[in-house]
Amino acid sequence: MLIRVTEAQPVANPSNISSAKPLRLVVLASGFGSLLQSMLEMLDTAKVEIVAVGSDKDCPALERAQKLQIPTFKVPFDAEAKKDRTGWDLRFLEAVSAYSPDMIVSAGFMRILGESFVEAFKDRIINTHPALLPSFPGAHAVLDALDYGVKVTGTTVHVVDTGVDTGPILAQEPVVVERDDTVETLHERIKVVERRLLVDVLHSIADRGMDRDGRKAYLK
Ligand code: GAR
């Protein structure tokens, strides 16, 4: 993997540059896990290896991984975490770091990652979002797009920064909104595109790396 960061000083993960080893991926998910499933089915394991799946709660995504004997971890976002968010961030960072990932993929992980976590894995976390950012950030992107009445929405894969869905965009694809769409029908059509796009992006990063120049990110 080659992640070259122009402008920002350090080259992320220098030890893995030009390495023939597969990219070590930790996947974060909080829900159904269909994105995780598509990664498990479609990723070329010679290029990208899912070394662990983590969550903030029990969810079908974790069960999918457990069935395939992929290591999982859970750092529950419980009442204590609500009182001490910094403590939760630290525990989550420790849990992820234990797997020494090259990259982290937020694939339906419905919690904002803390600043300390994002800084610790700077330019090595990507997120997939069910809208064409910067339109409709946040947890209700599909509903918000439908309510607004846009005719085209889509999906975005971006580098995670400390904002909510604000990081540099790596790839986007459109999806046409139909007149009789519901949140469910539209989200499912977006997910079909999203699953393939995420896998394409990961293969591309494993093959050639990515570049970031300030606000702009590029697949090489
Ligand atoms: C995906 O559409 C993903 O983009 C979205 O949750 C869905 C997860 O689907 N994430 C967000 O909305 C984050 N803001 P899945 O559980 O079937 O993989």
Side-chain angles (χ1 to χ4, degrees):
M1 176 183 62
L2 173 57
I3 299 177
R4 184 159 63 81
V5 181
T6 24
E7 189 184 277
Q9 318 71 39
V11 176
N13 191 29
S15 61
N16 203 37
I17 285 180
S18 302
S19 159
K21 286 187 201 151
L23 206 62
R24 291 175 63 81
L25 214 69
V26 166
V27 177
L28 307 179
S30 311
F32 186 58
S34 73
L35 287 166
L36 169 68
Q37 188 68 41
S38 61
M39 283 187 271
L40 292 168
E41 287 168 10
M42 292 159 65
L43 279 175
D44 178 347
T45 52
K47 295 180 181 179
V48 186
E49 181 191 4
I50 298 179
V51 293
V53 177
S55 188
D56 53 341
K57 60 180 188 182
D58 288 318
C59 60
L62 282 189
E63 288 165 24
R64 285 178 199 265
Q66 282 154 2
K67 274 192 196 134
L68 293 168
Q69 265 108 51
I70 293 170
T72 61
F73 61 90
K74 181 181 66 173
V75 184
F77 199 86
D78 50 18
E80 194 199 323
K82 281 179 196 146
K83 275 191 261 159
D84 176 17
R85 172 70 207 230
T86 309
W88 185 86
D89 285 346
L90 190 62
R91 290 197 297 284
F92 199 69
L93 177 61
E94 280 170 3
V96 173
S97 300
Y99 294 95
S100 307
D102 296 315
M103 291 208 66
I104 296 149
V105 176
S106 160
F109 186 65
M110 301 307 281
R111 195 155 298 286
I112 307 301
L113 293 165
E115 272 188 42
S116 53
F117 187 89
V118 174
E119 280 306 313
F121 292 106
K122 191 168 167 53
D123 292 321
R124 292 196 285 145
I125 314 168
I126 62 173
N127 177 50
T128 171
H129 183 75
L132 293 175
L133 294 169
S135 294
F136 312 118
H140 309 287
V142 182
L143 174 65
D144 293 345
L146 265 185
D147 280 353
Y148 197 92
V150 293
K151 302 298 180 244
V152 178
T153 183
T155 180
T156 302
V157 179
H158 67 94
V159 180
V160 172
D161 66 8
T162 52
V164 179
D165 300 323
T166 52
I169 291 168
L170 278 169
Q172 292 186 297
E173 279 194 30
V175 172
V176 170
V177 181
E178 306 290 350
R179 185 174 182 145
D180 57 355
D181 260 331
T182 61
V183 170
E184 290 71 30
T185 60
L186 179 57
H187 200 170
E188 189 45 43
R189 282 209 314 291
I190 291 171
K191 282 193 195 180
V192 170
V193 177
E194 194 175 14
R195 292 173 192 131
R196 197 232 334 117
L197 186 67
L198 177 60
V199 169
D200 286 352
V201 165
L202 288 168
H203 282 160
S204 177
I205 292 172
D207 285 340
R208 292 175 298 281
M210 64 183 183
D211 242 347
R212 185 168 72 72
D213 183 1
R215 167 70 257 144
K216 293 176 186 156
Y218 305 93
L219 295 169
K220 295 175 65 136

